[in-house]
Amino acid sequence: MPPESRVYDEHERLVMSLEFTNVCNFRCPFCPQAYQHLDNQPAGSPYDRKMGMMSRAVFDRALAEAHRVARTVELGFFGEQTLHKQYIEYIGALGRPRPFGVELNTNISMLTRDMMAAWIDAEIDLVRLSVDAIDGEVFNRVRPGLVRDLEGNTVDEVDRMAAINDKIEHWLSLPDHRPTRLVFVKSSHNVGQREKFLNHWQPRLGAGDVVLMKNVLSYGGKIVDPMIQAGRCNVWDVGYCVIDWAGNVSPCNLDTNMDLSLGNIMTESIDMLYHGERAAALRDRTGCGNDITPCRTCTDANNWSGNETFKPIELRVTL
């Protein structure tokens, strides 16, 4: 049995990202998934990590460690998590009570009624639905790839946006749906969609829901886009602990190639990895522009300064 972490005090706890899979059915132009098979990637920092699915052994180990060290568990580091064949099983295994919040992210393409029910049963604390468009033509350009409807049927390209919107409408209509963040990534690929998106979705939000509009990130220097803004590295300040599908650990939530790996949870504890010699050395070496991959090509880190959050519009009834 691998060693266990000590139980962290509240102020020590980490933001742990669990990657059920790094496989994705989309090839969005502002994401490294679109360029992984090209010899020349846009910004020079490669994404060529092996594809795979998280085993139940790695999941159980990560979950056990999360109980000891995490304040938040994010389901979705890189890849579309709902592609995992045991997705509903893993959601159900999160258990309650738990000493950490659970947040998840999906591109909605594979989302089914059963998955929605699993989110509600598991009392997920925050659901992020990444959309980035409201018009079909723009959506097909910004988020190309396979889409299925709520019944699991593959839809034609002309119907992709309608299928995505139907799923969001259905989810938001459920009286017990979990707090939701509709995410719109502002990039050069969806200019002109901002107001349309807000006008459509803001009136449909529930009390705990918001629309989040944020600037595209460079994913550790892998993406080039005029909307990317410079920022300061904050991964050690936030306390990120990314666990990929194979159990490898990185302190950076933008380290999509796991170049900053600290080791593997199947042989060492999170505490040993996050506070070990490798981590101590990286604290002095990491940061945007520093001479280490992917930092040397990263300019923006987690630049949240351009984020915009929109709460529900209050519906006033005139008698």
Side-chain angles (χ1 to χ4, degrees):
M1 291 289 291
E4 297 179 350
S5 294
R6 61 184 174 84
V7 177
Y8 281 14
D9 291 335
E10 190 62 33
H11 72 279
E12 297 178 280
R13 287 186 168 252
L14 306 172
V15 178
M16 181 183 289
S17 295
L18 299 188
E19 179 187 72
F20 287 177
T21 180
N22 63 335
V23 176
C24 188
N25 53 303
F26 277 7
R27 293 294 180 265
C28 307
F30 52 83
C31 175
Q33 296 281 14
Y35 309 105
Q36 60 179 309
H37 301 299
L38 299 182
D39 292 334
N40 297 312
Q41 300 193 25
S45 185
Y47 174 60
D48 54 9
R49 182 158 55 97
K50 182 181 178 181
M51 298 291 169
M53 302 276 177
M54 180 175 281
S55 69
R56 185 59 194 259
V58 172
F59 173 75
D60 287 344
R61 167 67 172 165
L63 188 58
E65 283 288 274
H67 277 269
R68 292 183 277 269
V69 306
R71 70 173 181 270
T72 303
V73 170
E74 298 180 344
L75 305 179
F77 166 50
F78 208 55
E80 175 48 42
Q81 307 300 286
T82 59
L83 288 172
H84 199 293
K85 293 181 179 179
Q86 295 169 278
Y87 181 77
I88 292 177
E89 175 187 329
Y90 285 12
I91 294 292
L94 291 169
R96 294 183 303 276
R98 50 192 178 234
F100 49 80
V102 177
E103 303 178 3
L104 60 83
N105 185 72
T106 174
N107 65 26
I108 323 172
S109 59
M110 300 289 119
L111 192 57
T112 65
R113 298 177 193 273
D114 288 343
M115 291 176 186
M116 293 181 183
W119 293 350
I120 293 171
D121 289 344
E123 298 179 8
I124 300 299
D125 295 279
L126 181 65
V127 171
R128 299 191 190 98
L129 304 178
S130 296
V131 197
D132 307 332
I134 194 66
D135 294 338
E137 180 184 356
V138 178
F139 183 74
N140 289 343
R141 180 174 69 247
V142 175
R143 289 198 166 258
L146 178 67
V147 171
R148 292 177 178 158
D149 61 21
L150 269 173
E151 312 308 323
N153 302 310
T154 301
V155 301
D156 295 331
E157 183 174 1
V158 69
D159 298 318
R160 294 172 74 250
M161 185 83 267
I164 293 292
N165 289 343
D166 284 347
K167 293 184 185 186
I168 300 173
E169 294 266 11
H170 178 72
W171 170 248
L172 295 179
S173 73
L174 298 176
D176 51 354
H177 77 267
R178 306 304 298 160
T180 300
R181 189 176 287 174
L182 282 183
V183 180
F184 181 99
V185 177
K186 297 178 286 186
S187 74
S188 61
H189 304 281
N190 59 1
V191 175
Q193 289 284 281
R194 182 182 184 279
E195 295 304 322
K196 290 181 179 181
F197 190 90
L198 272 177
N199 291 339
H200 183 86
W201 288 119
Q202 201 174 1
R204 293 166 167 79
L205 299 176
D209 308 327
V210 298
V211 170
L212 172 65
M213 296 194 161
K214 63 179 186 178
N215 285 349
V216 61
L217 297 177
S218 73
Y219 285 97
K222 296 177 178 66
I223 296 299
V224 174
D225 192 286
M227 300 290 283
I228 294 174
Q229 300 177 353
R232 184 185 68 85
C233 182
N234 66 356
V235 295
W236 295 105
D237 298 336
V238 173
Y240 279 115
C241 178
V242 174
I243 302 177
D244 77 359
W245 63 267
N248 300 307
V249 175
S250 172
C252 178
N253 66 315
L254 299 175
D255 183 20
T256 56
N257 217 39
M258 299 300 285
D259 294 304
L260 303 175
S261 177
L262 303 174
N264 194 286
I265 61 168
M266 302 309 286
T267 57
E268 298 178 271
S269 70
I270 293 295
D271 189 47
M272 293 169 61
L273 295 173
Y274 197 79
H275 297 286
E277 292 182 4
R278 165 75 170 161
L282 282 177
R283 286 174 185 268
D284 295 330
R285 297 184 63 198
T286 51
C288 292
N290 286 358
D291 190 22
I292 186 173
T293 302
C295 306
R296 63 171 56 93
T297 52
C298 187
T299 60
D300 56 313
N302 291 289
N303 189 339
W304 300 323
S305 62
N307 286 9
E308 302 174 278
T309 302
F310 301 88
K311 296 181 179 180
I313 294 176
E314 293 183 12
L315 300 179
R316 294 177 173 83
V317 179
T318 301
L319 300 179

